[in-house]
Amino acid sequence: KVFAAACVLLSGECLRSYLSYAPSGNPADAMGSSAMDWLHRQEAKEGGVVFFMNALLVVVLDRMYRVIKETHKLALHMEVLKKQSVQQGQFAASLLSAGKGPTQSAM
């Protein structure tokens, strides 16, 4: 979660950098600093997208890990319940074959 928060923070910083490079209205800078500003803006935009995608990926992978872990735990629980029901059935069958049957104490 810390890594995802760091990625979101860096993505915000890249967005701020992207927005801070305002295009200049001077046509004399067409080949000079405005080209460099454009390059810096594109780098900041790309960095922001990459950091945001990393943060999203970390959150998605964490959620997938938790769901898979819970599913595995539930599958193990289901196996234990199946074993218990089989043992209970065998016990009941052994009682009935022995002729003991359930006792009736409420008569």
Side-chain angles (χ1 to χ4, degrees):
K1 294 183 181 183
V2 173
F3 182 73
C7 285
V8 169
L9 181 71
L10 291 172
S11 177
E13 176 60 27
C14 288
L15 179 65
R16 187 198 60 80
S17 294
Y18 176 74
L19 295 175
S20 70
Y21 286 109
S24 65
N26 188 359
D29 289 339
M31 295 301 290
S33 66
S34 67
M36 289 303 291
D37 286 344
W38 181 82
L39 181 63
H40 286 297
R41 284 183 64 139
Q42 295 307 315
E43 288 174 351
K45 181 172 72 172
E46 182 180 347
V49 169
V50 168
F51 281 127
F52 183 75
M53 291 300 289
N54 281 340
L56 188 64
L57 185 65
V58 165
V59 170
V60 167
L61 289 177
D62 182 53
R63 178 58 57 192
M64 282 178 51
Y65 170 75
R66 289 180 185 199
V67 166
I68 290 170
K69 183 175 147 182
E70 182 69 21
T71 304
H72 182 67
K73 187 168 83 171
L74 289 173
L76 287 176
H77 184 65
M78 186 62 70
E79 286 181 30
V80 167
L81 289 176
K82 283 180 183 178
K83 287 179 185 178
Q84 286 178 350
S85 66
V86 167
Q87 288 176 351
Q88 193 70 278
Q90 290 172 351
F91 178 71
S94 70
L95 283 179
L96 289 175
S97 68
K100 294 181 181 177
T103 59
Q104 296 178 359
S105 62
M107 290 198 127

